[in-house]
Amino acid sequence: MAVQTAFDVDFDGTVAVITGASGALGSAAVDRFREAGATVCAVDVIAPDAEDSQLERDPADESALAFYEADLTDEDDVADLMDSVVDDHGRIDHLLNIAGTWRGGDHVEETDIEEFELLLNVNLKTAFLASKHALPHLQEAEGSIVSISARSSLEGGEGDGPYRITKAGIRLLTETLAEENRGTVRANCVMPSVIDTPMNREMMPDADHDEWVDPLEIADVMAFLCSDGAAVTSGAAVPVYGEA
């Protein structure tokens, strides 16, 4: 599928690992990085031919896309994943930590521990483990990491505290990675507000969808943060709110 982009980046000869690749934002990032010439290693627990997957595969161009099924909350699985990517493609240049989920509605005293642990595992643990096991390869390539935080992580709020907490953790993880890898691996994150996805439209049918940000626009920013154009940027939390 053709992607309209605001600028040109050249990722020819690089390898990008994109987690949460079967979702709306993940599949947009896959398209963007493939268009820029990267070999994309798309990672998710949902296979591309599954009913809920939005990741499209082009049988005529399989060399640019490899799918890896992995449980990113399991450290052994993540370690094996990164080893497999390097065995298959020789390197890792970009890691996009997009895997995540949203839950909300309850105050802290009414929140089930299972819901808190789900958000902690899917939103933060996945990014921590993927970063941990990709880092030795990213350090060799002097590569980059971009993760997904959220606008709501900037302050406390009513009803979705655990989500905000995990997304604030992404910002602190990003700053830590940037500090620990200064001069070798750049780490940044983006902070969406409401993304224009089929799920969000279904959840909020009466909202003004024209104010929401298209996943492809966010993918464009993520590509820029991985590009030479952002060579002096690390440790940043970049707003991608649009008009939302």
Side-chain angles (χ1 to χ4, degrees):
M1 118 180 184
V3 181
Q4 299 299 318
T5 58
F7 62 95
D8 292 327
V9 293
D10 184 4
F11 292 147
D12 188 49
T14 69
V15 176
V17 176
I18 300 179
T19 74
S22 292
L25 181 54
S27 60
V30 168
D31 288 339
R32 183 64 180 95
F33 275 70
R34 288 183 71 188
E35 185 199 52
T39 294
V40 173
C41 300
V43 183
D44 212 309
V45 293
I46 301 173
D49 56 354
E51 182 179 346
D52 293 334
S53 175
Q54 298 182 54
L55 180 63
E56 296 181 5
R57 305 187 73 171
D58 181 0
D61 192 20
E62 288 296 323
S63 61
L65 175 63
F67 182 82
Y68 295 82
E69 190 169 340
D71 178 358
L72 295 169
T73 68
D74 183 293
E75 183 161 20
D76 290 339
D77 227 17
V78 176
D80 290 343
L81 163 70
M82 298 305 173
D83 286 344
S84 295
V85 169
V86 174
D87 287 344
D88 293 343
H89 305 286
R91 59 190 294 138
I92 300 175
D93 298 272
H94 315 294
L95 171 64
L96 278 64
N97 289 313
I98 299 179
T101 191
W102 182 86
R103 294 290 189 279
D106 295 322
H107 287 197
V108 169
E109 72 273 18
E110 299 168 344
T111 300
D112 294 335
I113 188 61
E114 292 81 9
E115 183 172 290
F116 178 80
E117 290 175 341
L118 171 70
L119 288 163
L120 190 66
N121 286 334
V122 175
N123 289 346
L124 187 55
K125 186 178 181 181
T126 58
F128 175 85
L129 288 177
S131 300
K132 174 182 177 179
H133 289 282
L135 266 170
H137 311 292
L138 290 167
Q139 289 162 349
E140 288 183 15
E142 296 187 355
S144 57
I145 300 172
V146 180
S147 304
I148 306 296
S149 182
R151 181 181 188 173
S152 62
S153 74
L154 295 172
E155 60 185 3
E158 183 178 354
D160 63 346
Y163 173 79
R164 293 172 185 250
I165 290 165
T166 59
K167 289 301 186 177
I170 289 290
R171 288 191 292 107
L172 291 175
L173 174 62
T174 296
E175 293 171 5
T176 300
L177 291 169
E179 185 67 24
E180 291 180 348
N181 294 275
R182 197 185 307 180
T184 53
V185 177
R186 294 184 298 106
N188 296 288
C189 64
V190 297
M191 297 187 299
S193 180
V194 184
I195 305 175
D196 191 1
T197 67
M199 181 179 295
N200 283 340
R201 284 180 177 248
E202 183 177 339
M203 291 173 59
M204 295 174 275
D206 298 326
D208 185 354
H209 303 152
D210 291 337
E211 294 184 349
W212 295 356
V213 179
D214 190 286
L216 293 174
E217 295 175 304
I218 298 174
D220 215 26
V221 176
M222 298 179 78
F224 171 73
L225 290 172
C226 289
S227 74
D228 292 341
V232 296
T233 303
S234 191
V238 180
V240 285
Y241 311 156
E243 299 178 11

